[in-house]
Amino acid sequence: MFDLEHAIADWRQQMLAAGIKTPVPLEELEIHLREEIEQQTKSGLSEQEIVNSAVQKIGQAHMIQNEFKKVEATKEDREWKFVQILFVVITSLFSSFLCGMVIFKMGCFSEATSDQKISCLAAVAAFALLAWGGRLSCRMFPVIRAKRIRDAICISGGVLLMLWWMVFVHIILPRHDFTTGQLLVTILWEMIFPCGIFLGLFWGIET
């Protein structure tokens, strides 16, 4: 004797095997399947034929999974575009802020000489070019399709950057007696500039 609940359970297993493992979409699909079965109960078909017809109408497991993949890919594309826009906005604001401080002699930059200010502006420009350059030169980077490897590279780069900052702040800086202007130039070139390299690497690999 045909068991409707057993047939639906088998259908769920097919969905799971196809990769639809998120509870909410799977539950929604089952609700639609049951509604379709209920609508066809008056068609005169047997229960097995009704289930087969309902499954065909909703879609086979691989077809549904393909649709889910398309939706997920579109969502990921939108999220990545948002991250890219946010990245450009933040780096632009940061660079503009530093340039404004240098040009208008704000804060400690008022004590810097003309040559030191030029060096500071060059460091900020190099930071911005390197950070944005990752997106523009993404074709120069090897294509790494495995997200785990990309994440590992980016995390390793971030760790190295943090280690360099710690060495610079706690070991290198205390051994030198910089003037205010020299200190600003040194910080921009030794801390902000490497940050641009890391951001460019991150953007180039992820793009």
Side-chain angles (χ1 to χ4, degrees):
M1 184 176 178
F2 182 77
D3 188 338
L4 176 61
E5 293 302 322
H6 182 70
I8 293 177
D10 288 342
W11 171 84
R12 285 181 65 95
Q13 289 299 320
Q14 292 176 15
M15 294 295 109
L16 291 170
I20 305 174
K21 299 180 180 180
T22 309
V24 174
L26 187 55
E27 293 298 330
E28 290 179 353
L29 286 171
E30 183 176 341
I31 290 172
H32 289 310
L33 178 65
R34 289 182 180 276
E35 289 176 348
E36 187 62 31
I37 291 172
E38 186 177 352
Q39 290 176 4
Q40 295 191 31
T41 51
K42 298 179 181 180
S43 63
L45 299 173
S46 65
E47 285 189 330
Q48 185 169 0
E49 290 173 330
I50 290 173
V51 171
N52 292 338
S53 176
V55 170
Q56 288 291 335
K57 190 167 183 178
I58 290 178
Q60 296 294 332
H62 68 278
M63 295 174 61
I64 295 175
Q65 177 62 8
N66 288 337
E67 292 301 318
F68 271 99
K69 286 182 178 179
K70 290 178 183 178
V71 172
E72 289 174 359
T74 303
K75 182 180 178 182
E76 289 178 358
D77 288 342
R78 286 199 303 266
E79 290 176 349
W80 178 236
K81 286 180 181 178
F82 174 76
V83 170
Q84 289 180 315
I85 294 172
L86 187 63
F87 179 87
V88 172
V89 170
I90 291 175
T91 52
S92 298
L93 289 175
F94 179 70
S95 301
S96 300
F97 173 73
L98 288 177
C99 287
M101 290 191 68
V102 175
I103 294 171
F104 296 106
K105 303 177 182 180
M106 298 171 63
C108 296
F109 287 99
S110 61
E111 301 181 31
T113 65
S114 297
D115 290 341
Q116 289 169 346
K117 290 176 183 176
I118 292 173
S119 183
C120 287
L121 291 173
V124 175
F127 160 80
L129 289 174
L130 286 169
W132 300 334
R135 175 66 179 87
L136 300 175
S137 60
C138 59
R139 293 183 180 179
M140 297 174 59
F141 290 88
V143 178
I144 303 175
R145 301 191 181 280
K147 190 176 186 303
R148 289 183 179 179
I149 297 177
R150 296 200 307 271
D151 290 344
I153 293 173
C154 292
I155 291 172
S156 299
V159 170
L160 289 174
L161 178 64
M162 295 298 294
L163 287 174
W164 164 244
W165 281 353
M166 291 175 65
V167 170
F168 176 72
V169 171
H170 295 288
I171 298 177
I172 297 176
L173 273 184
R175 296 185 179 183
H176 295 80
D177 186 18
F178 291 117
T179 64
T180 301
Q182 290 173 336
L183 180 62
L184 292 172
V185 171
T186 304
I187 289 175
L188 287 176
W189 277 108
E190 301 301 331
M191 296 188 71
I192 303 303
F193 176 73
C195 185
I197 296 175
F198 168 71
L199 292 175
L201 173 67
F202 167 78
W203 205 355
I205 289 177
E206 290 295 335
T207 304

